[in-house]
Amino acid sequence: MAEEEKSLNFIEHIIEDDLKEGFDKEKLRFRFPPEPNGYLHIGHASSICLNFGLGEKYDAPVNLRFDDTNPAKEEQEYVDAIKRDVEWLGYKWSEVRYASDYFQQLFDWAVEFIKNGKAYVDSQTSEEIAAQKGTPTTPGTDSPYRNRSVEENLDLFQRMKNGEFESGTHVLRAKIDMSSSNMLMRDPIMYRILHKAHHRTNTDWCIYPMYDWTHGESDYIEQVSHSFCTLEFAMHRELYNWFLEQVSNPNQVQPKQREFARRNLSHTIVSKRKLLRLVEEGIVNGWDDPRMPTISGLRRRGYTPESIKNFVKTIGIAKRENLIDVSLLEFHAREDLNKKAPRIMAVLDPLKVVITNYPENTDEYVDSENNPEDEVLTYRKVPFSREIYIEKEDFREEANRKFFRLKLGGEVRLKNAYIIKAEKAIKDEDGNIIEVHCTYDPLSKSGSGTEESKRKVKGTLHWVSIKDAKEVEVREYDRLFTEAEPDRHEGKDFLEFVNPDSLRVIKGYVEPSVEEAKIGDHFQFQRIGYFNVDPDSTNEKLVFNKTVGLRDSWAKIDKS
RNA sequence: UGGCCUAUGGUGUAAUUGGCAACACAGCUGGUUUUGGUCCAGUCGUUCUAGGUUCGAGUCCUAGUAGGCCAACCA
């Protein structure tokens, strides 16, 4: 297999440079570090593909590490969902780790900090500490507790751990520099008291380490060589390195943090906090609602792992601001599904057609290709009959030459079946067309080899035999937000831009072969789009999600 | 009145590290087609600005400009 990819992203350049400078390839090690406080979304897919992709490229281990230092927000449900999503994308982690695995080690190191005068217990309120922190343009001031004795600090810290104090009464702070231009270096908090059960350590601890104190040390413990995170952590790097210097042994790998820009997708949001609001406020039906940009939502919508991975590969990784149009994601869904999804016929907005010269009671089946993209074509039998449904929009009483579909006096081919001619439109008392009478050419049957079957007619329509069709529920989705960047309108809440018409539930009529469909199966409804079977389906009624429509160049012509 | 980061077609990302600006998507023109799908061909650029170094600058230097991030006992 010849791989042509030669251009590297800036992260790969960093690794290549390190290798060139003598870093041992065998020591390359990565990690994907989600906080289990929500479901993974399309933005995380970039990080997952980056880290696990690097693991595959360099044959290096990649840990799945849960950053579980805040029991107030984290839950086992999220741990399970995250594992499921990473596996579904097709990646294998070396080990599952938890930051909470390191609580004891972190505590022991913190005690060393105190003994070395690198940390102290501050007994002020969070407001007081915030006030002393200064601002980005003015330096902070020292806490009155900054110079407590080692003995007092040790005693206090131990009693914090023992649960002798109320939440919020004391914190352990690193003693660094209150006048640093980097606010994070102004004596950052290492521990806070939180009397809250943790999803893994239960009530073993009532002090919990903060992110900055935990993350880099976890990387170090796991001997992660390259630790990638998003741009907003760039300022944390100085602190990451400072903490590392205090504990690290020079013979060990010194993890290197580097930052990349988060990917922003148009017409949606990629923020767990905001996604949680959509779920909690009932705007969507859960984290896996097919309108959600979560991995589980996309899966339910009908996206394949390959389509997501190809999308991520295409958008790449860099450091600049970006807004990726959601249509690119849709392109990758079509690209993958075009190869994989079997074609079937379904009518979603039915108009009855009666073929007046077709015999009343016959059982005729026509051969239909399952997928014209397959190298070896396979076929199935589809029942044809005197009364069929076509799409309402495929018939007009009158139309110009650009309209390739059925019009009075005009001919079209019924896909895989016969050429028909529209003779008469039947209307109700309000003038709505409720039925079209046609005649067919019995010699024009597809594949029969006759002269008539080879005739070229401009339009080809999909159809279903009314007596054989299966009624199904079809859920059509539109973008969840009406604005490209719903969370970037100053002074406005992103929920103001929720698209009220993002879900449309309709009835559809599908050829009988769908009876064998299983949950998750993908199909192309010919001339319409890609659909998959939703888990809400029952034995009585199948439910389909519209993943994405086919490209529709007619829609553009018709509009002009 | 600070610090850190970024700037390449409509969008996203490249450019063998100083050597003809490329790829994908979108758009537009055509062609093929029993899916107005797929596929194929063509088309679409003052590399943020101004100076400078150089035979040669997207790449290096200087000065601007624009945008993002930084003051949670969140991650």
Side-chain angles (χ1 to χ4, degrees):
Chain A
M1 287 278 242
E3 295 241 344
E4 53 174 286
E5 55 171 322
K6 55 169 183 178
S7 71
L8 306 177
N9 62 45
F10 85 99
I11 296 279
E12 292 167 322
H13 278 297
I14 288 170
I15 294 171
E16 288 296 324
D17 287 348
D18 285 345
L19 257 19
K20 231 171 275 174
E21 283 168 25
F23 188 87
D24 184 357
K25 183 174 176 292
E26 297 298 311
K27 292 189 171 168
L28 249 21
R29 195 171 189 114
F30 309 101
R31 105 267 93 116
F32 171 61
E35 181 190 9
N37 68 341
Y39 281 54
L40 261 21
H41 55 64
I42 187 69
H44 292 110
S46 273
S47 177
I48 294 168
C49 293
L50 173 68
N51 287 295
F52 285 97
L54 251 15
E56 288 175 355
K57 177 173 177 177
Y58 293 102
D59 195 25
V62 184
N63 283 350
L64 173 61
R65 185 173 72 231
F66 291 97
D67 237 328
D68 55 349
T69 57
N70 187 356
K73 291 181 180 175
E74 297 152 5
E75 294 170 23
Q76 186 62 38
E77 177 202 347
Y78 297 130
V79 170
D80 297 337
I82 288 166
K83 285 183 185 170
R84 197 186 313 133
D85 289 346
V86 172
E87 279 182 318
W88 177 74
L89 281 172
Y91 291 114
K92 290 187 174 53
W93 49 79
S94 171
E95 291 177 55
V96 176
R97 296 291 190 97
Y98 296 83
S100 53
D101 293 340
Y102 313 134
F103 281 175
Q104 186 60 48
Q105 171 68 268
L106 257 8
F107 177 81
D108 294 343
W109 272 328
V111 169
E112 290 304 309
F113 271 47
I114 294 172
K115 288 180 181 165
N116 296 330
K118 301 277 190 187
Y120 62 96
V121 172
D122 197 335
S123 307
Q124 301 180 99
T125 64
S126 60
E127 291 74 22
E128 286 167 327
I129 290 173
Q132 288 160 6
K133 198 123 199 189
T135 71
T137 51
T138 56
T141 50
D142 289 358
S143 163
Y145 299 99
R146 199 171 197 263
N147 293 311
R148 285 219 250 232
S149 69
V150 169
E151 292 67 32
E152 191 182 2
N153 280 321
L154 246 19
D155 174 63
L156 252 14
F157 187 48
Q158 188 61 49
R159 289 165 62 196
M160 281 168 65
K161 178 185 187 258
N162 294 347
E164 293 181 26
F165 304 118
E166 293 294 303
S167 296
T169 49
H170 305 275
V171 291
L172 184 74
R173 296 177 75 178
K175 193 191 278 191
I176 309 180
D177 177 7
M178 287 306 290
S179 60
S180 171
S181 60
N182 183 351
M183 304 272 304
L184 292 156
M185 299 299 279
R186 325 243 259 227
D187 289 10
I189 292 171
M190 295 172 70
Y191 278 93
R192 76 282 213 191
I193 300 171
L194 229 47
H195 289 279
K196 189 113 188 162
H198 183 279
H199 68 103
R200 294 192 76 244
T201 61
N202 205 331
T203 52
D204 291 354
W205 296 86
C206 59
I207 56 172
Y208 290 94
M210 301 290 288
Y211 167 85
D212 286 301
W213 169 229
T214 309
H215 199 89
E217 317 319 294
S218 300
D219 287 339
Y220 177 69
I221 291 167
E222 294 176 25
Q223 284 291 281
V224 167
S225 60
H226 299 262
S227 176
F228 302 114
C229 58
T230 44
L231 240 33
E232 67 266 31
F233 290 98
M235 298 300 292
H236 295 243
R237 190 151 111 196
E238 190 180 357
L239 181 54
Y240 180 102
N241 291 337
W242 187 89
F243 276 136
L244 205 58
E245 281 164 26
Q246 314 309 313
V247 306
S248 79
N249 174 328
N251 298 322
Q252 298 278 292
V253 169
Q254 310 297 304
K256 180 184 258 191
Q257 174 184 306
R258 287 298 180 271
E259 311 82 19
F260 61 90
R262 179 176 89 168
R263 304 339 261 164
N264 296 299
L265 233 206
S266 77
H267 302 278
T268 190
I269 45 172
V270 276
S271 146
K272 274 192 281 189
R273 209 193 88 241
K274 289 172 185 158
L275 258 12
L276 179 63
R277 272 187 73 192
L278 291 173
V279 173
E280 285 184 336
E281 298 184 26
I283 292 159
V284 296
N285 304 311
W287 286 98
D288 70 341
D289 186 299
R291 292 166 293 182
M292 291 281 271
T294 51
I295 304 293
S296 51
L298 292 167
R299 171 170 62 231
R300 189 168 174 188
R301 175 80 169 253
Y303 276 79
T304 57
E306 292 72 23
S307 63
I308 292 175
K309 288 202 260 190
N310 288 338
F311 168 72
V312 165
K313 199 182 292 179
T314 303
I315 63 178
I317 202 92
K319 295 187 80 165
R320 62 179 116 148
E321 287 255 324
N322 59 84
L323 178 66
I324 294 144
D325 200 295
V326 69
S327 65
L328 185 59
L329 181 61
E330 295 173 343
F331 163 80
H332 285 284
R334 291 191 193 99
E335 180 188 55
D336 194 47
L337 260 10
N338 177 51
K339 291 182 293 190
K340 295 176 178 168
R343 273 61 173 172
I344 58 176
M345 291 197 285
V347 173
L348 302 185
D349 188 14
L351 173 63
K352 183 175 176 182
V353 168
V354 179
I355 302 165
T356 53
N357 62 336
Y358 189 88
E360 298 257 358
N361 297 306
T362 52
D363 283 317
E364 183 176 11
Y365 289 83
V366 298
D367 290 319
S368 304
E369 282 174 354
N370 288 317
N371 189 341
E373 302 293 317
D374 286 345
E375 289 198 19
V376 180
L377 295 178
T378 57
Y379 297 83
R380 69 187 182 288
K381 301 281 188 190
V382 176
F384 184 78
S385 69
R386 189 170 193 267
E387 297 186 342
I388 60 172
Y389 284 139
I390 64 169
E391 300 289 344
K392 263 194 190 111
E393 62 163 22
D394 285 340
F395 175 76
R396 286 182 190 174
E397 289 184 272
E398 295 175 31
N400 64 23
R401 291 173 311 285
K402 284 185 181 171
F403 186 77
F404 300 160
R405 308 175 181 192
L406 191 61
K407 55 191 170 192
L408 285 181
E411 287 185 318
V412 291
R413 171 168 293 282
L414 294 174
K415 178 84 181 165
N416 301 128
Y418 299 94
I419 293 172
I420 58 169
K421 183 177 179 184
E423 310 284 359
K424 192 166 74 171
I426 312 294
K427 298 179 182 177
D428 63 15
E429 52 274 20
D430 299 324
N432 302 309
I433 299 167
I434 51 169
E435 200 172 306
V436 178
H437 285 188
C438 295
T439 52
Y440 85 122
D441 176 356
L443 295 174
S444 65
K445 186 173 181 179
S446 292
S448 64
T450 63
E451 282 306 308
E452 291 82 348
S453 72
K454 292 173 186 162
R455 269 177 60 211
K456 299 283 179 198
V457 284
K458 196 63 184 163
T460 301
L461 304 186
H462 62 276
W463 50 273
V464 291
S465 161
I466 295 178
K467 71 180 169 63
D468 301 291
K470 299 298 163 200
E471 198 179 303
V472 300
E473 178 176 319
V474 174
R475 299 174 181 170
E476 292 187 317
Y477 306 101
D478 197 355
R479 5 200 88 153
L480 230 198
F481 294 93
T482 54
E483 287 289 312
E485 299 184 275
D487 52 356
R488 294 198 67 129
H489 288 78
E490 219 166 311
K492 292 195 175 182
D493 189 79
F494 72 100
L495 293 181
E496 289 181 40
F497 303 106
V498 168
N499 178 3
D501 303 313
S502 60
L503 170 64
R504 187 167 154 251
V505 180
I506 57 176
K507 205 184 282 182
Y509 299 88
V510 189
E511 61 170 74
S513 68
V514 284
E515 290 215 299
E516 295 163 26
K518 300 184 301 293
I519 286 167
D521 282 356
H522 303 276
F523 294 96
Q524 184 198 92
F525 289 180
Q526 283 197 110
R527 300 212 304 134
I528 303 175
Y530 296 98
F531 295 78
N532 78 336
V533 182
D534 190 85
D536 284 350
S537 298
T538 62
N539 288 334
E540 288 71 47
K541 189 171 74 174
L542 283 171
V543 176
F544 282 92
N545 295 306
K546 183 173 183 176
T547 309
V548 63
L550 254 27
R551 265 187 68 197
D552 188 359
S553 42
W554 164 244
K556 289 174 206 159
I557 299 167
D558 196 30
K559 237 184 276 174
S560 60

